[in-house]
Amino acid sequence: MNAEIEKQVQELAKQLLAEEKVDLVIGWAPGSVPTRSRPFFARTPEEAEQLVVSPLSVHNLTDFLNYYRDTKERIGIIVKGCDARSVAVLLQQEQLPKDRLFIIGVNCGGVVDIAKLTKKLSVAEEDVADILFAGENVKATLVGGEARTVKVADVLADRCLACYQHNPQFCDEVFGEPVPDGKPEFVETEALEGQTLAERLSRFNSYFDRCIRCYACRNACPACFCRSCIFDQRDPSWVPLRNELPENQMMLLIRAFHLAGRCVDCGECERACPQNIKLRELNKKLEKEVFDLYDWYAGKSIEEPVPLSTFRVEDYDPAEHEGH
């Protein structure tokens, strides 16, 4: 992603707003500090000039579409590869009609993990005065004027290292040179599966025990689009309010099962978590199960029904494979 792509996106957004083809464009704008971007809602051509596209454009903006599904507003939205799959999930689940959307795709080589970047630079985030992306490098200017450079590849977010859909699909316009796509791989999940049951239980319980039940993971997730969440219901009370290990286990496991076949591994849950819980480990396990059983990953298609809501004779039959 570079300045030319950013300019192209700005011009298209300005045109869409000026011609009243959309009522707003959801994208990114500079944050309050040089190392951050922020979600931005442009409603005029002038505001569209504030849109930015860079490896700091970390947010999956698709979650905001859930807040507009009961309106009649026409929405332009800028998406990366994983984000576009999130849009496909919402369309497939009939959460909003495609004719209300104008999807602007940007081919993506990955976004930066700020914690990795500051660690690589050996500085605190507040010590970074400016950031410039130049080819394969990140050039940071520190407070006081010192310049330091690291490779983008060394500071990519973990989710980007496992990404296999860099080029967004189902878009109305796409900008940027195509990035080689891959295929779903689950190296870390397979390593986890190699552990004993006791080791896995201990690992996940160490995560569950840190949960403070703030629901930041749910609120940041595009696939958590239920209008009434089971965790908010008090009558009946499915999950007690106590912030203890059994309740946390139930909450996080239920959420993971609800996301099976819908999680695109955008990592927003993990990025939003104030306790730094490795939620992707649990979600990737469910993603692998769905892929192994049904050759399906979230956002694979808009038209094809999702496996967990359909029945096909050729689907995997455990009894048949186990000889029962």
Side-chain angles (χ1 to χ4, degrees):
M1 290 183 274
N2 55 36
E4 181 181 352
I5 296 172
E6 181 175 286
K7 188 66 176 177
Q8 291 172 338
V9 169
Q10 289 176 353
E11 290 301 319
L12 176 57
K14 288 166 64 177
Q15 179 184 345
L16 292 172
L17 290 165
E19 296 177 359
E20 298 185 351
K21 292 182 177 179
V22 298
D23 297 299
L24 75 157
V25 174
I26 305 176
W28 306 276
S32 57
V33 295
T35 50
R36 304 279 174 168
S37 67
R38 60 186 172 91
F40 184 70
F41 303 80
R43 289 186 173 273
T44 67
E46 292 73 25
E47 289 179 340
E49 295 179 357
Q50 299 181 50
L51 293 168
V52 297
V53 179
S54 82
L56 296 177
S57 303
V58 298
H59 312 81
N60 182 346
L61 304 169
T62 311
D63 188 38
F64 293 108
L65 294 179
N66 291 319
Y67 296 92
Y68 289 94
R69 56 187 169 185
D70 292 329
T71 73
K72 294 183 180 180
E73 291 193 284
R74 299 157 300 169
I75 304 166
I77 184 168
I78 306 172
V79 298
K80 306 182 293 294
C82 56
D83 309 340
R85 289 169 54 209
S86 290
V87 176
V89 169
L90 294 183
L91 293 174
Q92 187 181 52
Q93 298 286 314
E94 299 182 355
Q95 294 303 301
L96 72 171
K98 174 63 176 69
D99 59 14
R100 282 182 50 208
L101 295 180
F102 193 101
I103 307 172
I104 305 169
V106 286
N107 294 325
C108 174
V111 296
V112 165
D113 182 321
I114 298 304
K116 287 185 180 180
L117 176 61
T118 53
K119 182 178 181 180
K120 198 75 174 177
L121 293 171
S122 300
V123 297
E125 187 173 355
E126 56 267 26
D127 293 329
V128 180
D130 189 32
I131 283 201
L132 175 66
F133 293 94
E136 299 179 351
N137 296 319
V138 186
K139 296 183 178 180
T141 302
L142 307 185
V143 174
E146 181 185 354
R148 294 185 185 177
T149 300
V150 299
K151 290 189 176 298
V152 174
D154 293 337
V155 293
L156 288 178
D158 288 343
R159 64 184 187 268
C160 299
L161 300 177
C163 181
Y164 48 85
Q165 189 77 65
H166 301 285
N167 306 297
Q169 307 296 306
F170 321 114
C171 297
D172 296 288
E173 293 279 353
V174 178
F175 296 102
E177 291 295 323
V179 181
D181 278 331
K183 60 180 180 179
E185 294 182 345
F186 304 95
V187 177
E188 293 181 359
T189 305
E190 290 168 353
L192 184 66
E193 291 173 340
Q195 298 179 0
T196 67
L197 181 60
E199 289 172 333
R200 280 178 279 163
L201 180 61
S202 175
R203 183 185 187 90
F204 282 115
N205 277 347
S206 71
Y207 298 155
F208 299 152
D209 201 36
R210 298 208 307 267
C211 177
I212 59 174
R213 300 277 291 281
C214 66
Y215 300 129
C217 54
R218 177 195 68 182
N219 296 342
C221 177
C224 276
F225 49 70
C226 293
R227 295 177 184 273
S228 177
C229 180
I230 188 175
F231 306 131
D232 293 333
Q233 293 181 13
R234 299 277 70 88
D235 185 20
S237 180
W238 297 102
V239 182
L241 289 172
R242 292 189 302 271
N243 185 21
E244 296 180 2
L245 180 60
E247 287 74 24
N248 294 350
Q249 285 176 325
M250 182 175 290
M251 191 276 284
L252 291 171
L253 287 171
I254 287 175
R255 204 183 88 83
F257 277 107
H258 279 192
L259 293 175
R262 295 191 295 176
C263 174
V264 302
D265 194 29
C266 69
E268 286 296 87
C269 56
E270 196 168 288
R271 191 178 65 83
C273 178
Q275 296 296 92
N276 296 316
I277 298 173
K278 294 185 179 298
L279 296 164
R280 288 185 56 249
E281 286 189 12
L282 189 58
N283 294 338
K284 288 293 286 186
K285 171 59 177 172
L286 272 295
E287 181 186 352
K288 180 178 183 294
E289 291 296 316
V290 173
F291 184 75
D292 288 346
L293 292 174
Y294 305 108
D295 189 29
W296 176 267
Y297 56 85
K300 181 178 181 180
S301 168
I302 293 178
E303 293 81 15
E304 186 178 349
V306 294
L308 298 181
S309 64
T310 58
F311 171 76
R312 298 179 302 182
V313 174
E314 64 269 21
D315 282 343
Y316 179 85
D317 183 347
E320 177 183 325
H321 285 262
E322 293 169 11
H324 297 298

